[in-house]
Amino acid sequence: MAVRTLKDLLAEGVSGRGVLVRSDFNVPLENGKITDPGRILASVPTLAQLADAGAKVIITAHLGRPKGEPDPALSLAPVAARLSAELGRNVQLAGDVVGSDALARAEGLTDGDVLLLENIRFDPRETAKDDAERAGLAKALVELVGDDGAFVSDGFGVVHRKQASVYDVASLLPSYAGDLVAAEVEVLKRITTDVEHPYAVVLGGSKVSDKLAVIEALAPKVDTLVIGGGMAFTFIKAQGSPVGDSLLQEDMVDTCKELLDRFGDVIHLPHDIVVADEFAADAETSIAFTRDGFTEGMGLDIGPGSVERFSAVLRSAKTVFWNGPMGVFEFERFSTGTRGVAEAIAAATQDGAFSVVGGGDSAAAVRSFGLPDDAFSHISTGGGASLEYLEGKELPGLTVLEQGA
C-alpha cells in the first residue's frame, strides 16, 4: 500500500496543528459498560504519538447503528472515559458531531489536547449514498481542524465503507495511514501474497451468504477450509442430512452443493453437532452425527469429535486465518467448539505458525476465554474489512489514501 504514513506526518511536524483521526471504537456494550475494549486499546498508539507530538487531536468514530439521529444508548461517553484512562490525559467528549459544542471545544484546544466527537453516525450524512451530502459533513469536519490540518485514517474496521469520515475527508485534507491501518494491511498482505503452507482458514458465523465471496476466493489457495457455526448447517443440508430447526439458508443449499463439488478436497465440515432443545443457556443437549442429521432441536455448537478433528488439522498448519465462531459461544454450554479452535490456533502459533484472528466475534471470543492477545500473531480490529480485503475487493478507505499519496 503506497500511502503516506503516521511516521511521515510526524516527520513533517504536527505541533499546534489540528489532526482529524478516524478511529474504530465500535466496541460491545452491556448495560452501558464496555465488555471488550480491544479496538480502543489498538487505537491508543497512534493517538498517543500525535498528542505527545503536540497535535490538537480530534477523533471521529461510530458506535452501533443509530438511525442518523442521536441515541443516548449509543453515546461515545463510555469510550471517552476508557480512552482517557488509557492515554493518561483527559479526552473531552463533544455533545454533538459538528455542531456548536464541537466547534467551541475544537477552537479551545491547545497543543496535546484530545477531543472525541459524539457518535459520527448520529449525523445522517455520514452514511448517505448521495456524494454531496457526505461532502457536506466532510467539509464541516475539516473546519474543526483548520486550513493546516491533516487526516489520519486509523479505523481499519471501516475502511471498506465509503463514508464521510472515512473516504470524503481524505480527499479534502493531507491524508495518512495510522499505525493500526498500516499494520492491518501488512498482515493481510502476508496471508494473501506470501503464505507458508499448510494454510488453514476457519470460517464460522451464521450465514453462508456473508462468507460466500471469501470462500470462493480462498478455497483454491488453501490446504484446509474449516467451516463451522450456523453457516455449516446449510452445507450439511446440501449433503442431504436434515438439520432440524438449526440456522439454514434454503436459497443457498444448491450453492453449497456446488462448492462441495468443486472444493470437497479442502472443505472440512463438522462430523458431529451439539443439539439443543431450545435457544437458551441452560437448554437440554444431545450429540448428533451429521451423516445421519437430526429432525428435532437446533445445532448450537460443533461436537467433541469435530473439535478434535479440526484441532488436529489446525495444529499442523503454518498459516491460519480465522473469522467466525463455531457456535453460540456466549452461552458457556455451547462455547466448547469455539474455545477448542482458539486453543488449537494458539498452539499452532506457539509452534511457529502465523495466525490471524479476523476481528468481530472471533476476537471477542478469544478474550472471553481469557486467552492473551499475544497467543496469536495478530488479532484484527476489522472483521468485515478483513474479509473484503481477502476477497480482493477494493476498499474505498484505502484507495483514497493511495490516491492522495
Side-chain angles (χ1 to χ4, degrees):
M1 184 174 69
V3 302
R4 291 178 293 186
T5 65
L6 177 65
K7 183 179 180 180
D8 296 324
L9 175 58
L10 292 173
E12 293 169 14
V14 294
S15 181
R17 293 176 64 187
V19 178
L20 183 70
V21 181
R22 188 19 161 128
S23 296
D24 181 7
F25 295 147
N26 190 27
V27 293
L29 294 178
E30 195 170 291
N31 298 321
K33 294 184 178 180
I34 298 167
T35 56
D36 178 8
R39 285 175 168 165
I40 297 174
L41 302 181
S43 300
V44 166
T46 290
L47 299 172
Q49 289 180 75
L50 288 168
D52 290 345
K56 301 173 183 178
V57 183
I58 299 178
I59 311 166
T60 67
H62 77 279
L63 179 59
R65 296 181 177 181
K67 298 179 180 179
E69 58 185 28
D71 180 351
L74 295 175
S75 169
L76 289 174
V79 173
R82 181 60 183 262
L83 193 57
S84 295
E86 296 297 334
L87 286 173
R89 64 180 75 216
N90 179 53
V91 175
Q92 301 180 54
L93 176 66
D96 48 32
V97 178
V98 288
S100 57
D101 191 55
L103 282 166
R105 289 178 183 271
E107 289 176 0
L109 294 177
T110 59
D111 297 2
D113 282 352
V114 181
L115 169 64
L116 174 61
L117 304 180
E118 189 50 283
N119 193 330
I120 190 73
R121 291 188 182 173
F122 286 178
D123 192 312
R125 295 174 293 176
E126 166 70 357
T127 57
K129 301 298 182 185
D130 184 271
D131 292 350
E133 289 184 31
R134 291 198 319 276
L137 176 57
K139 289 175 183 177
L141 289 169
V142 170
E143 289 177 10
L144 297 177
V145 294
D147 294 337
D148 65 342
F151 172 65
V152 174
S153 176
D154 207 43
F156 182 73
V158 291
V159 293
H160 58 316
R161 306 297 188 191
K162 192 174 184 181
Q163 296 177 346
S165 68
V166 178
Y167 177 85
D168 298 270
V169 293
S171 63
L172 299 177
L173 288 170
S175 301
Y176 307 79
D179 282 354
L180 174 57
V181 163
E184 293 270 15
V185 172
E186 285 306 308
V187 164
L188 291 172
K189 278 185 178 179
R190 179 168 175 177
I191 62 173
T192 51
T193 60
D194 186 22
V195 180
E196 184 176 0
H197 291 264
Y199 181 15
V201 170
V202 184
L203 297 178
S206 59
K207 295 181 177 180
V208 176
S209 55
D210 290 343
K211 304 286 171 66
L212 178 60
V214 77
I215 292 172
E216 294 268 10
L218 293 181
K221 303 174 183 177
V222 304
D223 301 287
T224 301
L225 178 56
V226 170
I227 293 179
M231 63 186 287
F233 297 108
T234 304
F235 279 93
I236 294 168
K237 183 67 177 292
Q239 291 181 318
S241 299
V243 294
D245 296 322
S246 304
L247 278 174
L248 180 66
Q249 286 186 282
E250 286 281 4
D251 61 335
M252 295 296 293
V253 170
D254 287 342
T255 299
C256 288
K257 286 180 182 177
E258 181 187 350
L259 290 170
L260 290 170
D261 287 341
R262 292 166 60 196
F263 305 117
D265 57 331
V266 297
I267 292 177
H268 291 241
L269 297 174
H271 290 262
D272 55 352
I273 296 293
V274 180
V275 180
D277 63 350
E278 61 177 330
F279 187 85
D282 59 352
E284 293 294 323
T285 65
S286 60
I287 302 296
F289 291 97
T290 55
R291 65 174 179 268
D292 304 319
F294 51 96
T295 56
E296 296 182 357
M298 61 188 71
L300 296 186
D301 196 10
I302 60 174
S306 298
V307 174
E308 186 175 343
R309 288 169 181 257
F310 289 175
S311 296
V313 170
L314 294 171
R315 286 196 183 100
S316 65
K318 290 299 181 184
T319 306
V320 184
F321 175 77
W322 172 31
N323 180 279
M326 297 293 98
V328 186
F329 73 92
E330 296 89 347
F331 294 160
E332 178 64 28
R333 183 169 293 188
F334 306 107
S335 65
T336 304
T338 306
R339 184 190 296 273
V341 164
E343 291 175 346
I345 296 173
T349 308
Q350 190 172 16
D351 289 340
F354 184 74
S355 60
V356 179
V357 179
D361 286 342
S362 305
V366 162
R367 296 184 178 114
S368 73
F369 298 145
L371 294 171
D373 284 13
D374 61 9
F376 307 88
S377 304
H378 181 72
I379 297 181
S380 178
T381 57
S386 296
L387 290 176
E388 291 198 14
Y389 187 98
L390 294 177
E391 291 167 20
K393 287 185 177 180
E394 181 178 288
L395 306 187
L398 297 183
T399 301
V400 73
L401 293 179
E402 293 169 345
Q403 291 171 347

